Amino acid sequence: MQIRTRLTLLYVLNAAGILAAVLLAAYGIYKTRTEEAFYQGLASKLDMTVQTALRDPSTLKVLPPTWIDPEGEDTLPYRDNISLFNTSYERVFSMHPDMVPVSVKVLQDIYTDQQIRFRHYNLRGIGRLVAPASSSAYAVVVEGYCDPTGLNDLGKVLIISFLGGLALIALSGWYFAGQALAPVLRMVNEVQSLEPTDLSRRVETGANQDELTHLAETFNGLLDRVEHAFRMQRLFLANVSHELKNPLTVIRTQLDVALQREREPAAYQRLLTSLLDDVNAMGEVEENLLQLARIQNGPAEIPFTAVRLDEVLWQTKDLVQKRHPLYKAGITFAAMPDSDDALWVRANEALLRTALLNLVDNGCKYSPDHSAQVWACFHTDGAHEVEVRNTGSGIPAEELPLLFEPFFRSPRHLKLGGSGIGLTLVKSILALHDIVLTVRSSSEGGTVFRLVFPGVEKP
């Protein structure tokens, strides 16, 4: 069932229930007031009978039982009647003495309850116990015919009004449901018209700040992420093919040149060393890509353990200098906690070391003297601070927003080599650990990458 049909049906059922309740209430109120007015009229007749027929009770005599039985029918041939009964349930007065009197059960109820309302065949009546001062009590019974024609006509009018109103409600519900869903259909058509080759289009949000506007903004946010993913995919394919093609081309060229003629062992040694460097560079690219994919595709499966941050920093320094003997990395601790327990952080040791290694390696690479300085300040609440500083030429302001984009390479440093994945991997690892990363760079030279660890919440 379509949403428009379902909304219309729910709207009709809800409105029908309310309309039926209102009409039934109106019918019930009218019926109650009509019956009350009828019984008030009977009460007036009863009062007049008491004032006239019981003015001299001594004149009342028991009437002979010469009444006509309506032979089990539901209606009596007369429209109203007034009767008086003594304590022996004998009729002593009646406007229609030849008609069937009320039952003994009704008379007993009158003597018991003083005044009652009852039904007698097609008549409605009031019975009241009256006790004149000079005689015994009498049961005064007034019966009348309550014409249901007006009430029946009202019922027919209300039924017709209900059915007509229901039809109008259904039409209006169908129309307004269509109007309410029109923006949704428009958004569906706009989304269906999108092509993978052109993801720059967005869904129109409209001027109203309502739920549909929020839905359109959610669609646009999804399209932003999809466009970013497609752009990253294209960029990934272009850069990976470039990063793999260049080393492979270099390796192929060196091998072709080496095989053209016989060479001395020293030449083959230099060739193998160069090939090993190229293979190591390709291995680093592959490792970074695998770690980046692991973080982005399965962050919940990455194990976290307790890690001593100061030891990770020393290990990072040793790895940098082992990989690049010309690089120099120094570590300065600004403050140390009183207890070693404060040095422990919850992290994935391998990933955290990879992030710090990339930062220190970049710091040494882009410094004229191939040096970087690591500054650390430990706090008892766990909100430790780590800075990686270099003395390079600085990062231009226009390049700062692109610094962590995958495969971004500054045109100023293309000769230094690299894949453009390192800082993207760093940002992903730190985000996984809830570590805040900021960058400060001066046009005069020098860049600082600042890391602030999440503090430990105190119970």
Side-chain angles (χ1 to χ4, degrees):
M1 184 183 293
Q2 293 185 348
I3 294 179
R4 184 177 185 182
T5 304
R6 187 161 62 249
L7 286 177
T8 303
L9 182 60
L10 292 175
Y11 175 70
V12 169
L13 291 176
N14 184 56
I18 296 174
L19 181 60
V22 171
L23 295 181
L24 286 174
Y27 181 81
I29 293 173
Y30 180 79
K31 179 182 178 182
T32 301
R33 291 186 176 180
T34 300
E35 291 178 351
E36 193 63 32
F38 172 78
Y39 281 114
Q40 288 178 359
L42 293 182
S44 299
K45 293 180 181 180
L46 191 148
D47 292 336
M48 293 176 61
T49 301
V50 170
Q51 294 175 5
T52 55
L54 292 181
R55 181 178 298 174
D56 187 6
S58 62
T59 60
L60 298 176
K61 297 180 180 180
V62 178
L63 299 178
T66 58
W67 45 272
I68 301 175
D69 192 344
E71 299 180 356
E73 297 182 2
D74 294 332
T75 59
L76 293 172
Y78 54 85
R79 291 293 184 179
D80 53 17
N81 189 24
I82 301 176
S83 302
L84 274 72
F85 296 85
N86 59 22
T87 55
S88 300
Y89 306 148
E90 297 173 326
R91 187 164 52 174
V92 297
F93 174 81
S94 179
M95 293 182 61
H96 298 280
D98 56 341
M99 294 303 169
V100 61
V102 296
S103 65
V104 175
K105 175 67 169 58
V106 172
L107 296 175
Q108 290 175 344
D109 292 341
I110 293 174
Y111 277 96
T112 301
D113 299 332
Q114 307 296 317
Q115 180 170 313
I116 65 170
R117 293 180 180 182
F118 62 90
R119 299 180 72 93
H120 186 213
Y121 290 92
N122 61 321
L123 305 180
R124 298 169 184 261
I126 290 181
R128 183 187 299 172
L129 185 63
V130 179
S134 60
S135 63
S136 59
Y138 290 90
V140 183
V141 175
V142 180
E143 301 173 277
Y145 178 72
C146 185
D147 189 359
T149 303
L151 198 60
N152 292 337
D153 291 342
L154 176 63
K156 294 177 182 178
V157 171
L158 293 180
I159 291 174
I160 295 173
S161 300
F162 174 76
L163 295 177
L166 207 59
L168 293 177
I169 289 171
L171 293 175
S172 62
W174 181 261
Y175 172 77
F176 286 116
Q179 292 294 107
L181 293 174
V184 178
L185 296 177
R186 174 180 53 78
M187 281 189 282
V188 170
N189 293 331
E190 291 180 0
V191 173
Q192 287 179 341
S193 65
L194 295 176
E195 296 293 339
T197 55
D198 182 16
L199 294 175
S200 60
R201 295 172 54 191
R202 293 294 179 267
V203 176
E204 184 180 351
T205 58
N208 298 326
Q209 295 299 320
D210 52 13
E211 290 81 0
L212 294 178
T213 301
H214 180 65
L215 177 62
E217 292 174 349
T218 303
F219 268 127
N220 289 337
L222 175 62
L223 291 174
D224 289 338
R225 293 190 292 272
V226 171
E227 183 183 17
H228 178 73
F230 270 80
R231 183 167 60 86
M232 289 299 102
Q233 183 184 35
R234 289 192 293 267
L235 188 61
F236 175 82
L237 293 175
N239 284 277
V240 166
S241 61
H242 178 268
E243 292 298 328
L244 296 179
K245 182 179 179 180
N246 283 349
L248 288 175
T249 301
V250 172
I251 292 173
R252 186 183 297 111
T253 301
Q254 292 183 84
L255 291 175
D256 288 340
V257 173
L259 293 174
Q260 288 178 1
R261 61 184 178 85
E262 291 290 335
R263 300 180 183 276
E264 296 181 358
Y268 286 116
Q269 184 72 26
R270 290 193 299 271
L271 173 63
L272 293 176
T273 302
S274 177
L275 293 177
L276 182 60
D277 291 339
D278 293 333
V279 171
N280 288 336
M282 293 176 63
E284 290 182 6
V285 173
E286 178 192 15
E287 180 64 24
N288 287 337
L289 288 174
L290 289 176
Q291 287 188 343
L292 188 60
R294 180 188 176 195
I295 293 172
Q296 294 179 349
N297 296 331
E301 300 176 359
I302 298 176
F304 277 60
T305 59
V307 178
R308 275 195 60 149
L309 183 56
D310 59 333
E311 291 183 358
V312 175
L313 292 174
W314 285 114
Q315 292 170 7
T316 300
K317 173 183 179 300
D318 294 339
L319 282 173
V320 169
Q321 297 183 160
K322 181 178 180 180
R323 290 184 181 182
H324 307 280
L326 297 180
Y327 287 0
K328 293 175 291 183
I331 297 180
T332 302
F333 294 139
M336 293 293 289
D338 297 333
S339 173
D340 290 346
D341 294 339
L343 297 173
W344 293 85
V345 295
R346 186 165 182 78
N348 182 281
E349 184 174 358
L351 290 179
L352 182 59
R353 186 166 49 245
T354 298
L356 294 170
L357 185 62
N358 274 282
L359 290 176
V360 177
D361 186 89
N362 280 356
C364 294
K365 180 192 298 185
Y366 295 109
S367 294
D369 56 355
H370 298 298
S371 66
Q373 184 67 32
V374 178
W375 174 88
C377 181
F378 298 96
H379 300 278
T380 56
D381 60 355
H384 308 310
E385 302 171 69
V386 176
E387 291 185 356
V388 179
R389 307 166 179 171
N390 67 17
T391 58
S393 58
I395 303 172
E398 63 272 12
E399 292 184 3
L400 283 176
L402 305 173
L403 198 59
F404 299 100
E405 291 291 328
F407 305 107
F408 170 73
R409 298 288 309 284
S410 174
R412 301 177 298 115
H413 303 299
L414 293 179
K415 294 181 180 181
L416 293 178
S419 62
I421 306 173
L423 289 181
T424 304
L425 181 60
V426 168
K427 183 179 180 182
S428 299
I429 292 174
L430 297 183
L432 181 67
H433 290 78
D434 294 329
I435 299 173
V436 179
L437 173 64
T438 55
V439 183
R440 301 194 311 271
S441 186
S442 172
S443 58
E444 299 177 356
T447 302
V448 178
F449 289 85
R450 178 181 175 82
L451 287 64
V452 179
F453 286 73
V456 179
E457 294 184 3
K458 295 183 180 181

